[in-house]
Amino acid sequence: MNPEDRIKELRVALHKHNHSYYIMDAPTISDYEFDAMLKELEVLEGQFPEFHDPNSPTVRVGGGITKSFATVKHEYPMLSLGNTYNWDELADWIRRVQKAAPENTFVCELKYDGVAIGIRYEYGKLVQAVTRGDGTQGDDITNNVRTIKSIPLQLNGEYPERFEIRGEIVLPHAAFNALNEQRAEQGLPLFANPRNCASGTLKLQDSSVVAERGLDAYLYFVLPDGILAATHSGSIKAAGEMGFKVPRPEHKFIEACQTIEEIQAFIEYWDIERKNLPFDIDGIVIKVDSYHTQEELGFTAKSPRWATAFKFKAEKVETQLNSITYQVGRTGAITPVANLEPVWLGGTTVKRASLHNQDQIELLDLHEGDLVYVEKGGEIIPKVVGVNTAARTSDQPRVEFISECPECATKLVRKEGEAQHYCPNEQQCPPQVAGRIQHFISRKAMDIMGMGNETVQLFVSEGLIASPADLYNLSYDKIIALEGFKEKSVTNLLQGLENSKQIPFDRVLFALGIRHVGATVAKKLAKHFGSITALMDADEATLSAVDDIGTVIAQQLVSYFNNPENVREILRLVEAGIQFELEQTEAITEGPLLNAKIVVSGVFETMSRNELKALIEKLGGTNVGSISAKTTYVVAGEGMGPSKKEKAEKLGVPILDEAAFLKLIGQ
Ligand code: IVH
């Protein structure tokens, strides 16, 4: 089969499997087979750029960068919905509609708590995705939306030539929690809730980061130019047949209702059941089903008269603010926490709630001793959402954010553009010291058996340790002298420290707790540089040239290694016998590929591309993605793209075929 036909065939098959997996929840092939087909398509597309398709299934992995999002005017304004929390108001609305249209059928749907999106299709292909913005115009975030696997890039069956469909992009709880866990590990501020996170994610410039976040989408509104039925529910069903993820009656996400009682039953069902949904909803939307009736009812200036939303009350209680504690994290980030008069909320007793940062405290205009409203939303930690100002007396002073670290009295800093305050006293501030050591010994880092967070706390307060390197100076005598330690526990702990000397370099690098350097980034850096000395020698430009290392991480690394205290600490760890080099690179100090920057292109006879790349790294070379003047060699297999060849020739970069490459490395 010629490559063009194979590319087409793979695209059709992958679109189909994608639909079965992400929309119908009924996979038709194994993940392995899917990945293999995707890989094959990626390789072919690399070789034959002339068959580029912006809607190829390969765009799901992202990679497109949007420098700034273009503003796009909406063809139809993006209106909001009237809403109520109140049964009587809802009943009034229902009666008004029934009076105007006695035969009317209502449709009840979930009110997804996410980010509204309008997506345009032309001839079955996704062409543009735009945010709500101010309702009249929004941001073009097409690149990012293309990475969301439940949004079809290519439609099936019958569809209108050109039309728009709207819906909501949501971040499921599992993805939200995993992301926040990862951020906590990296010492980064957490996202407040899935909606904020979804909205922030969609505004990221790098779509490959968007692709990894696990966004999902439900479509619930077909605009007039795309209507293929007489009713809203008919349109939604038709949209489902085109391949969209739409609410389906069998999930009870959409239901036809005739009476107030039926609508009320649907709302009550979901007010309870929403706790079991994998994403947030904040109410129920009730719509008039017939388009004809919708037209008769029309719009007010802001919203349609043919639909309304019944919003769920977030579980909220009032309680007294007793005090505020300022917590200092391992990276020095300051988090204000409200200590509350204990109160029962959503199945647990709440004593503390997050106040996030100074801006949040100012926004609430919080005064000491205030009666505050505490709410439990999608997030696990409850938060203070408001103040009962009517109950406030004149002798309650306004809450002033602290200016000094509560632990070490160092003056706090707040970087421009950041919401969080930091304590800059990294080396001596006790929670930062303990936090850093606790991170160092943790399971994913040095995994030191026989030692826990309390032990670290104790050793720090007893003055035995002040940095990770001090751990390796601990002696049997010093520890056994402390209360609560027996012979067995001390020998276990010392053995645990001894064993940690075998932990590989990438985990040691993660264990150092450099801001933004989580486990994945540490792996990449270790693999790329091979040793701490090579990493320390790298400047910002070299660092940010590494795949997946952005300027933020690069700057952070440079400033970390510019701090003499950090360098001293690393030297002490080296002396203690900790691994600061990758094992396999130890041997390479010479050879034809040492420090060579190599671009691999095409397919090879004697090995796969990945095997070839691994071989290059093993021999001390580095794989780079694109050809530049700095490239040492291009290793070209069968079917290298013509544009790559041209570029290499223009820049005078030697092109090696498979045989020449093998000869060079002496195989
Ligand atoms: S229909 C003309 N259906 O809630 C209005 N909206 O607060 C068409 N929303 O703007 C919107 N779930 O962003 C509709 N099932 C649903 C919805 C929904 C969430 C959002 C949407 C809307 C906002 C109004």
Side-chain angles (χ1 to χ4, degrees):
M1 188 184 295
N2 74 41
E4 184 177 8
D5 289 342
R6 180 64 182 155
I7 287 176
K8 278 189 189 151
E9 184 180 73
L10 284 167
R11 284 178 184 160
V12 168
L14 284 164
H15 280 312
K16 199 177 110 236
H17 293 310
N18 194 73
H19 177 262
S20 319
Y21 189 95
Y22 289 101
I23 293 158
M24 304 315 290
D25 293 324
T28 33
I29 53 170
S30 71
D31 289 4
Y32 175 79
E33 285 169 290
F34 186 91
D35 289 344
M37 284 165 79
L38 195 65
K39 195 91 227 142
E40 184 187 347
L41 180 58
E42 243 172 33
V43 170
L44 283 171
E45 287 179 347
Q47 286 171 6
F48 302 98
E50 58 272 35
F51 304 131
H52 172 77
D53 173 2
N55 288 325
S56 166
T58 53
V59 309
R60 302 294 197 193
V61 297
I65 304 280
T66 314
K67 284 265 168 333
S68 70
F69 299 103
T71 306
V72 178
K73 195 171 174 311
H74 292 298
E75 200 123 333
Y76 300 91
M78 245 172 154
L79 300 174
S80 59
L81 288 172
N83 68 65
T84 177
Y85 290 89
N86 177 302
W87 289 114
D88 290 339
E89 275 180 30
L90 178 68
D92 281 348
W93 179 83
I94 295 169
R95 274 189 221 106
R96 268 203 308 279
V97 172
Q98 284 172 331
K99 196 166 164 213
E103 299 297 303
N104 176 61
T105 301
F106 294 98
V107 174
C108 291
E109 284 171 22
L110 306 185
K111 186 170 181 330
Y112 303 92
D113 193 10
V115 181
I117 188 81
I119 316 175
R120 296 202 67 84
Y121 285 81
E122 287 181 8
Y123 304 102
K125 295 185 188 313
L126 188 158
V127 291
Q128 192 174 54
V130 182
T131 62
R132 174 203 300 279
D134 62 4
T136 311
Q137 51 184 36
D139 288 337
D140 181 335
I141 56 166
T142 314
N143 256 342
N144 289 344
V145 168
R146 281 204 172 101
T147 68
I148 302 173
K149 299 192 181 74
S150 48
I151 293 181
L153 300 166
Q154 168 69 55
L155 303 181
N156 303 320
E158 241 182 282
Y159 41 76
E161 255 178 33
R162 287 195 171 79
F163 73 103
E164 179 177 345
I165 188 163
R166 288 180 186 167
E168 207 85 355
I169 294 174
V170 297
L171 184 67
H173 298 143
F176 171 74
N177 293 332
L179 179 66
N180 261 354
E181 258 172 47
Q182 193 190 341
R183 287 175 72 86
E185 196 178 87
Q186 295 173 13
L188 300 176
L190 304 186
F191 285 108
N193 58 48
R195 179 172 24 81
N196 282 354
C197 184
S199 147
T201 300
L202 288 167
K203 297 290 174 59
L204 290 173
Q205 292 185 335
D206 184 349
S207 65
S208 59
V209 182
V210 181
E212 284 173 0
R213 292 263 170 107
L215 294 169
D216 198 356
Y218 281 90
L219 286 314
Y220 48 63
F221 186 35
V222 182
L223 279 292
D225 53 7
I227 283 170
L228 292 179
T231 58
H232 164 68
S233 57
S235 283
I236 290 299
K237 187 160 175 283
E241 278 153 18
M242 292 173 210
F244 289 105
K245 187 161 181 171
V246 293
R248 286 193 271 152
E250 62 266 38
H251 295 150
K252 226 172 155 31
F253 284 11
I254 182 166
E255 190 169 279
C257 293
Q258 221 69 45
T259 62
I260 295 185
E261 291 72 26
E262 281 169 17
I263 293 172
Q264 193 161 354
F266 186 86
I267 294 173
E268 282 171 346
Y269 172 82
W270 279 112
D271 196 8
I272 309 261
E273 228 12 71
R274 67 184 161 122
K275 296 177 186 83
N276 300 320
L277 277 172
F279 50 82
D280 284 346
I281 62 172
D282 59 345
I284 296 297
V285 181
I286 305 106
K287 300 174 180 174
V288 165
D289 199 22
S290 143
Y291 285 132
H292 179 73
T293 314
Q294 284 190 8
E295 229 164 277
E296 278 182 353
L297 290 165
F299 293 82
T300 69
K302 280 188 297 187
S303 51
R305 285 199 192 87
W306 46 261
T308 194
F310 185 89
K311 299 247 273 178
F312 294 133
K313 288 188 194 72
E315 285 182 87
K316 190 156 91 173
V317 285
E318 193 185 274
T319 188
Q320 176 157 345
L321 172 70
N322 287 337
S323 64
I324 295 177
T325 306
Y326 294 86
Q327 290 179 343
V328 186
R330 135 175 104 75
T331 56
I334 309 288
T335 311
V337 175
N339 299 305
L340 306 164
E341 198 52 39
V343 62
W344 187 253
L345 173 65
T348 49
T349 304
V350 173
K351 299 187 193 112
R352 287 141 56 85
S354 173
L355 288 165
H356 296 298
N357 52 45
Q358 180 181 28
D359 293 347
Q360 183 65 17
I361 290 176
E362 279 171 9
L363 204 66
L364 290 165
D365 184 27
L366 204 57
H367 286 232
E368 285 173 24
D370 267 345
L371 281 178
V372 294
Y373 302 114
V374 182
E375 199 175 282
K376 223 179 205 176
E379 53 276 18
I380 315 127
I381 314 157
K383 58 182 180 185
V384 176
V385 292
V387 174
N388 181 353
T389 44
R392 186 184 286 158
T393 54
S394 57
D395 57 354
Q396 288 176 242
R398 177 172 284 132
V399 170
E400 294 286 349
F401 201 83
I402 50 167
S403 57
E404 287 176 1
C405 176
E407 303 280 345
C408 70
T410 304
K411 199 167 171 347
L412 299 180
V413 292
R414 179 175 172 182
K415 281 200 203 121
E416 213 180 291
E418 286 194 16
Q420 216 87 12
H421 280 75
Y422 282 89
C423 165
N425 182 17
E426 289 165 22
Q427 303 302 330
Q428 273 116 35
C429 180
Q432 293 192 62
V433 169
R436 214 165 26 239
I437 303 173
Q438 284 162 346
H439 171 71
F440 184 84
I441 66 158
S442 65
R443 208 168 39 79
K444 283 190 196 161
M446 301 302 279
D447 193 18
I448 296 178
M449 305 255 282
M451 196 164 188
N453 286 348
E454 296 74 32
T455 318
V456 172
Q457 205 89 53
L458 177 70
F459 288 2
V460 171
S461 62
E462 290 291 328
L464 289 187
I465 53 173
S467 81
D470 292 340
L471 289 169
Y472 298 94
N473 289 341
L474 287 169
S475 67
Y476 183 89
D477 294 342
K478 277 188 203 161
I479 306 174
I480 200 85
L482 299 176
E483 204 173 312
F485 282 90
K486 301 223 166 59
E487 191 187 328
K488 182 97 184 118
S489 52
V490 181
T491 40
N492 278 350
L493 196 156
L494 291 172
Q495 189 57 49
L497 285 166
E498 196 52 37
N499 294 348
S500 73
K501 295 178 184 170
Q502 303 306 321
I503 296 287
F505 174 44
D506 61 306
R507 276 173 58 189
V508 174
L509 191 54
F510 168 61
L512 293 178
I514 305 168
R515 236 176 122 202
H516 299 293
V517 182
T520 317
V521 171
K523 252 204 192 84
K524 292 233 160 83
L525 291 168
K527 194 156 170 252
H528 188 94
F529 291 97
S531 73
I532 194 81
T533 34
L535 180 61
M536 287 164 92
D537 282 346
D539 59 11
E540 196 188 313
T542 315
L543 287 163
S544 45
V546 179
D547 264 356
D548 295 325
I549 306 297
T551 47
V552 178
I553 302 177
Q555 282 166 3
Q556 195 66 46
L557 283 162
V558 169
S559 98
Y560 182 87
F561 292 125
N562 272 341
N563 182 337
E565 302 261 13
N566 292 333
V567 177
R568 212 169 358 216
E569 171 74 8
I570 289 169
L571 287 176
R572 289 183 59 211
L573 288 168
V574 171
E575 256 163 50
I578 303 301
Q579 305 283 329
F580 276 100
E581 277 183 357
L582 271 194
E583 282 211 321
Q584 71 249 38
T585 55
E586 260 174 359
I588 318 156
T589 49
E590 53 181 346
L593 299 191
L594 187 66
N595 299 328
K597 292 193 167 53
I598 298 179
V599 174
V600 174
S601 179
V603 282
F604 299 87
E605 250 171 47
T606 58
M607 61 188 110
S608 74
R609 270 154 67 102
N610 282 341
E611 281 165 345
L612 178 60
K613 286 184 169 181
L615 184 61
I616 289 170
E617 294 201 0
K618 204 174 136 217
L619 295 172
T622 307
N623 292 294
V624 292
S626 59
I627 302 170
S628 74
K630 290 198 197 127
T631 310
T632 324
Y633 300 115
V634 175
V635 182
E638 186 74 16
M640 173 170 83
S643 59
K644 274 202 177 140
K645 184 152 183 271
E646 200 178 305
K647 192 161 181 197
E649 281 166 357
K650 208 172 116 203
L651 294 169
V653 177
I655 304 178
L656 306 177
D657 64 12
E658 192 168 349
F661 173 77
L662 292 173
K663 198 167 157 218
L664 176 74
I665 61 169
Q667 284 194 8

